[in-house]
Amino acid sequence: MKKFKLIQMAIVACIFILSSCSNDDAQSKKSNYVLVHGAWQAPYVWQKVKENLEKDGNQVIVVELPGHGNDHTSPSTITLDLYKEKVIDAISKVNGKVILVGHSLGGIIISSVAEAVPAKIEKLVYIAAYLPASGQTLDELAHTDRDSQLGIEGNLIVDKVNYLIDVKQDQIANLFIQDGSLEIQNLVVKNYRTEPLIPFVTPVTVTAANFGSVKKVYIKTLQDHVVSPYLQDKMITAGEVKSVYKINTGHSPFLSQPDTLSSLLIEISNN
């Protein structure tokens, strides 16, 4: 009888220890995400993903870039450095490292941020994003994309006088969210704003010592009309990205498949 009780006590102790380890592991996997939207969009696009990540116990900060959403900074004063500083300011409010996520234009921005504060970044995650080499501009990268529908004549309207870059209105849904519901497409069209031009034509400076020291992950969007899979593959190869995930969406997976994208971001955190 005494032997049986000892066995019982040992089993209970093992269960307690395993439970404690499990809780510790769960705590260690919680991450700090900083999400950076792309061109012609705003923080609203991340709402469902933010909710999903927070529901899983993570901290999430969504950056509103100058000249987007509710911010009305004059386009003529908006630079890539201004974007960079806005993201660095958001990161500075977080204790510990962050998983820095950039979509489309956001890839240029997070690359600049990683060059400036590499020690604060656990991983860079590019979602259908421009991944530059040092000295490249977004405009230069975009012009190498043979399959992008954004580059079709007439779809892109450049206003050098007012420092703006625009998209043909009847192409907004097709370019950014062709795989979304009509409700989501209307949401994107409703929230559309013209884009500041200067960051598109500003070269990025990155070094092996800083930017090169940060782990990079790429999420490919397989039906993308803006940053085509062709260009995504080229940038992944040139950027020596080792971790690549795929999602079968157009350019805005956070709107068309937010649950799938959220799961990928959690998986990336754990790997």
Side-chain angles (χ1 to χ4, degrees), residues 65-66 79-91 108-117:
L65 296 175
T79 63
L80 184 57
D81 278 344
L82 192 62
Y83 286 164
K84 178 183 71 176
E85 293 305 322
K86 186 68 182 281
V87 177
I88 290 173
D89 181 62
I91 291 173
I108 297 287
I109 300 166
I110 68 173
S111 299
S112 298
V113 171
E115 177 63 23
V117 290

Side-chain angles (χ1 to χ4, degrees), residues 92-218:
S92 71
K93 295 177 170 61
V94 178
N95 291 324
K97 293 189 174 187
V98 305
I99 295 177
L100 182 57
V101 182
H103 170 249
S104 198
L105 160 71
I108 297 287
I109 300 166
I110 68 173
S111 299
S112 298
V113 171
E115 177 63 23
V117 290
K120 283 290 292 181
I121 302 169
E122 179 184 341
K123 293 173 185 173
L124 291 172
V125 182
Y126 294 81
I127 302 175
Y130 292 99
L131 200 175
S134 192
Q136 283 186 317
T137 69
L138 187 154
D139 183 63
E140 289 169 348
L141 271 173
H143 273 88
T144 68
D145 193 348
R146 68 183 187 196
D147 296 333
S148 173
Q149 294 185 29
L150 185 60
I152 293 174
E153 188 173 354
N155 280 353
L156 206 57
I157 304 155
V158 179
D159 179 353
K160 293 182 180 179
V161 174
N162 295 301
Y163 301 95
L164 292 169
I165 187 163
D166 205 351
V167 172
K168 193 176 178 184
Q169 293 297 298
D170 64 5
Q171 288 298 308
I172 292 171
N174 172 58
L175 289 167
F176 298 115
I177 189 70
Q178 86 278 10
D179 56 329
S181 66
L182 182 59
E183 179 184 6
I184 291 294
Q185 290 180 350
N186 288 338
L187 180 69
V188 170
V189 172
K190 177 184 174 184
N191 285 278
Y192 174 87
R193 284 179 61 185
T194 51
E195 185 71 18
L197 173 62
I198 295 169
F200 274 61
V201 295
T202 303
V204 177
T205 300
V206 292
T207 63
N210 292 352
F211 173 69
S213 69
V214 182
K215 182 176 180 181
K216 298 165 189 66
V217 181
Y218 204 102

